[in-house]
Amino acid sequence: QVQLVESGGGLAQPGGSLRLSCTASGSAVSINTLNWYRQAPGKQRELVASITRPGSTKYGPSVEGRFTIFRGGDNKAGYLQMYSLKPEDTGLYSCKADVFVGRDSYPADSWGQGPQVPVSS
């Protein structure tokens, strides 16, 4: 079973920045497509950013120009760099990915594991 482990959340001030990471556990793993989601209190989960294996990226309109998604050189981790944070960026951030284990691809996600990103002064 492939697991995704997140880190990097925490309290941020408006205008500040944070970097989240999402790492696939295990040996011989390689992240294919990676998606970052967030769920604000009382709202539905929304797609924030995605990146394909070749590196094509897409962003939600509310974060375009402020967030950057990228992957590590070994393709075992992906990252979400967040700049110019706003209070409306507050939420529970999760990652979801297709992960290669050898030649086989498996879906994996970190639903409910965090990290929480409260943005408040």
Side-chain angles (χ1 to χ4, degrees):
Q1 182 179 0
V2 178
Q3 291 185 324
L4 296 177
V5 179
E6 291 190 49
S7 64
L11 178 65
Q13 292 188 337
S17 62
L18 276 177
R19 178 181 291 185
L20 306 179
S21 65
C22 175
T23 304
S25 63
S27 59
V29 296
S30 177
I31 292 177
N32 190 11
T33 299
L34 172 68
N35 301 293
W36 282 98
Y37 293 83
R38 72 181 176 198
Q39 186 166 19
K43 295 186 178 181
Q44 290 188 334
R45 185 183 296 152
E46 63 172 330
L47 178 63
V48 174
S50 62
I51 184 168
T52 65
R53 183 73 174 215
S56 296
T57 58
K58 290 184 179 180
Y59 297 92
S62 64
V63 307
E64 183 84 49
R66 298 187 298 119
F67 289 11
T68 301
I69 186 172
F70 61 100
R71 52 200 317 144
D74 61 1
N75 286 315
K76 291 189 176 182
Y79 304 88
L80 185 67
Q81 178 68 53
M82 304 182 289
Y83 297 103
S84 301
L85 284 164
K86 303 176 180 180
E88 50 264 43
D89 293 320
T90 293
L92 177 66
Y93 284 71
S94 302
C95 56
K96 184 177 185 295
D98 293 321
V99 182
F100 282 115
V101 182
R103 296 183 178 181
D104 298 321
S105 179
Y106 298 89
D109 61 65
S110 65
W111 302 143
Q113 297 178 31
Q116 289 280 2
V117 178
V119 181
S120 174
S121 56

